[in-house]
Amino acid sequence: VSAESRRTMIDDGVRMMAGIHAIDWRQAGLQWLTEGATPSVARQFELWRTYAERELNGRIHPPLERAWMWLDENRPAEPEPSLCWGDPRPGNIIWHADRAACVTDFEAAAIAPPEIDLVPSRPHCTSSWRTAPSVTLSGTKSSRLPATARLWCG
């Protein structure tokens, strides 16, 4: 994928994500996505912390504990919540001639601060990708990384 194509795809993917964020979720009848809770940064932290604790099953993960502490001490101001895609990565975009034709995979959609959609794209820069030649990212050897991850992750 050429540098010009990558730029076009990134710009178009971000445009699609911004379009999702601009949907009036209340008018669209999507209040059920809040699960009765107030959509906020604090709620997102609570959801992710609960998930991590369940997955760790009592194990202590010092870097994660430090991250939770830092996040608690540096919590940002509460932005206006929006409809968030939940899984905004290139593999969930149907592409046509380097343009986003449509987006897919809304199982993780939520009413939350729009910045939340910037988080899921970074984990795909890790060894979870298994279809391309080996590369090194952030000092960690990743066994395989496809072109889509290189596109999104830089």
Side-chain angles (χ1 to χ4, degrees):
V1 178
S2 73
E4 183 178 330
S5 289
R6 272 196 310 277
R7 170 59 55 204
T8 299
M9 293 172 81
I10 289 169
D11 288 348
D12 223 36
V14 169
R15 181 187 60 78
M16 292 293 263
M17 185 170 35
I20 293 166
H21 294 161
I23 293 170
D24 184 331
W25 58 273
R26 290 176 183 95
Q27 187 174 21
L30 297 173
Q31 293 86 340
W32 61 272
L33 284 171
T34 67
E35 298 179 334
T38 301
S40 64
V41 171
R43 173 70 175 144
Q44 288 298 309
F45 285 176
E46 175 189 332
L47 290 169
W48 286 107
R49 186 174 288 187
T50 300
Y51 172 78
E53 288 170 356
R54 184 178 65 240
E55 292 300 310
L56 286 169
N57 196 25
R59 294 184 313 259
I60 302 298
H61 191 282
L64 186 57
E65 294 301 317
R66 287 191 301 275
W68 292 133
M69 190 177 342
W70 187 91
L71 288 168
D72 286 337
E73 293 168 359
N74 296 281
R75 186 161 297 168
E78 291 290 345
E80 182 65 29
S82 67
L83 173 61
C84 293
W85 182 355
D87 197 1
R89 58 187 179 91
N92 288 334
I93 300 173
I94 306 297
W95 300 98
H96 177 72
D98 297 338
R99 304 299 262 182
C102 71
V103 296
T104 65
D105 196 0
F106 283 87
E107 291 94 61
I111 306 303
E115 294 85 353
I116 297 299
D117 267 344
L118 299 177
V119 177
S121 62
R122 298 315 292 183
H124 298 290
C125 301
T126 67
S127 61
S128 64
W129 293 86
R130 303 271 184 236
T131 59
S134 181
V135 297
T136 301
L137 291 173
S138 302
T140 305
K141 185 72 169 176
S142 175
S143 61
R144 300 177 70 73
L145 186 69
T148 53
R150 288 193 300 271
L151 165 73
W152 210 244
C153 304

